[in-house]
Amino acid sequence: MESRFPHPYFSSHPQWRWFILITVLIGASMSALDVSIVNVALPTLQGDFKVNMAVIEWVAMAYMLTLTIFLPLFGRLADIFGRTKMYNTGFVVFTVGSALCGLASSAGFLIGARILQAIGAGLLQANSVAIITAAFPSSERGRAIGIQGAVQAVAMSIGPFVGGILISAVSWRAIFYVNVPIGIIGTFAALYCLPAAERSDKAREKIDYLGTAFFATGLAFLVLAVNEGETIGWTAPIILTYFALAAVLLTAFLITEMRVAHPMIDLTLFKRYAFWAGNLTGLLSYYVLFAVLFLMPFYLEKIAGYNPVVTGSILTPIPLAMAVVAPFAGHISDKYGSRLMTMWGMAVCALATLLLIFTGRSPNMLILIAELVILGIGMGLFTPPNNSAIMGSVPRERLGVAGGILNMMRALGLIFGVDISGVIFTSIEHGYIIQHGYKVTLFKDLPVALRKEAFLHGFAPVMITLLVINVIAGLLSAAKKDQEHKGPIEHGEPIDLM
């Protein structure tokens, strides 16, 4: 879909970049909201469709898996065919997918519609940071990316709350239908605010279908192995097969990329320290964030004794703190560089996880909330400058694939943070229970005191691992140099989104 903005003067006017940002924010908020809003509906969906939990979990899993494995491809397609075109298409596909989700008559139909919805979300996410990078000069890019991060954080934080209200007041179908009017508004905003695509020489490049197939299937098997390993068993034949297939396919992908003329992912990008270190630290930061978001509800309910409503309220300050801090962090990084902000961001996150190690049976809620706020502040300080540094390190003709890789790494951080932390926690907790002469299979019959002690014995080591990860990410950030790739758009130049 091509942009229909009536006159090129407006799209090249320096102030028009803020309308471009607003358009990107619509897509960012819509896709972020849908990541969290559906989780609250899973029990209701299981009851309505009368299927077991293993089936209904795929309503969430199919979305995350599709989104993760295709992000680099969507970024590459945007570099070839135009970021504006791909972004506009993303709005349409996401809106249609959302409507089909609301119309679903079976669990299988809903899962299929979620895959379509994830394709639309992938087209939006892979191009959002690239569009901002192309539209804003380097002196304002961090601030713009910070605003985007703030909007995404707020959308994710209110997702469960909004979902609960819609399910209670209307039905579970409303959580999908709510995307339709937003998607329609976003589609028209993209058509009229994003500059028309210009003809690119990249359109003559061939798509690396073989490399794409190797990468998508290899990454899919890796994600499935990590996600299902704890449930099925890490030594189960199917899990070992998943890991083996992932290793073979991803190796085949690397070999293919080094041989083809037009690879899906330009591996030379990883020669730039700012690019590979920024993506790695981005993965590590999301690992930490979502490991905390995964474990804290169990702590607050099982140890502190709070109900789900209070638990949700206590966790809300994390994304809210991110939302408040992110724009300022981006603005400061525009003036003084990303290195200082990313380093301090990880240092603040390290402080938060250090404090969480000592959380005991009877926490002071004000202190605990303050610790969670500190984590949110650290993430807000780190994320926008880090994203800005990544996008500033690549040539403009590779902005799409760079944005796809950036978002893919964050998604992998989310998945690994939840799954690996879950494995560490469960193995230590169960080991403590067995050490005291009880069987894990009789967990509900254990003495309350033992259950709490077992939980805390598993909780503290996970926080220690997160502290170590924060320190590693901080050291990697400290080693970065504030370098800008030659040739980014400067203030006042015509905006070209290809």
Side-chain angles (χ1 to χ4, degrees), residues 12-80:
S12 63
H13 192 277
Q15 298 304 317
W16 194 254
R17 64 192 182 279
W18 296 106
F19 288 93
I20 294 173
L21 177 61
I22 291 170
T23 303
V24 172
L25 294 182
I26 295 172
S29 61
M30 188 167 66
S31 58
L33 183 70
D34 216 68
V35 170
S36 60
I37 197 172
V38 75
N39 292 334
V40 73
L42 294 181
T44 305
L45 291 170
Q46 183 183 12
D48 278 12
F49 291 132
K50 296 178 174 59
V51 294
N52 60 39
M53 184 57 71
V55 173
I56 213 66
E57 282 177 349
W58 274 95
V59 173
M61 183 63 181
Y63 185 90
M64 279 304 300
L65 185 61
T66 303
L67 185 65
T68 304
I69 66 177
F70 286 120
L71 277 168
L73 171 63
F74 293 152
R76 174 63 177 148
L77 292 176
D79 285 337
I80 295 175

Side-chain angles (χ1 to χ4, degrees), residues 126-199:
N127 291 291
S128 59
V129 182
I131 289 174
I132 292 172
T133 303
F136 282 80
S138 58
S139 59
E140 294 181 338
R141 184 177 59 234
R143 181 185 176 194
I145 291 176
I147 293 171
Q148 184 211 17
V151 169
Q152 285 183 311
V154 170
M156 288 189 71
S157 67
I158 67 172
F161 176 73
V162 172
I165 291 176
L166 290 174
I167 293 169
S168 300
V170 188
S171 75
W172 63 263
R173 298 181 189 276
I175 68 173
F176 297 111
Y177 285 141
V178 74
N179 290 322
V180 175
I182 300 174
I184 291 172
I185 293 170
T187 300
F188 281 102
L191 286 170
Y192 285 93
C193 289
L194 300 184
E198 296 182 7
R199 182 71 180 174

Side-chain angles (χ1 to χ4, degrees), residues 325-342:
V325 172
F328 295 103
H331 182 60
I332 293 171
S333 71
D334 288 334
K335 289 187 174 182
Y336 302 106
S338 64
R339 177 177 172 270
L340 188 64
M341 297 304 297
T342 53

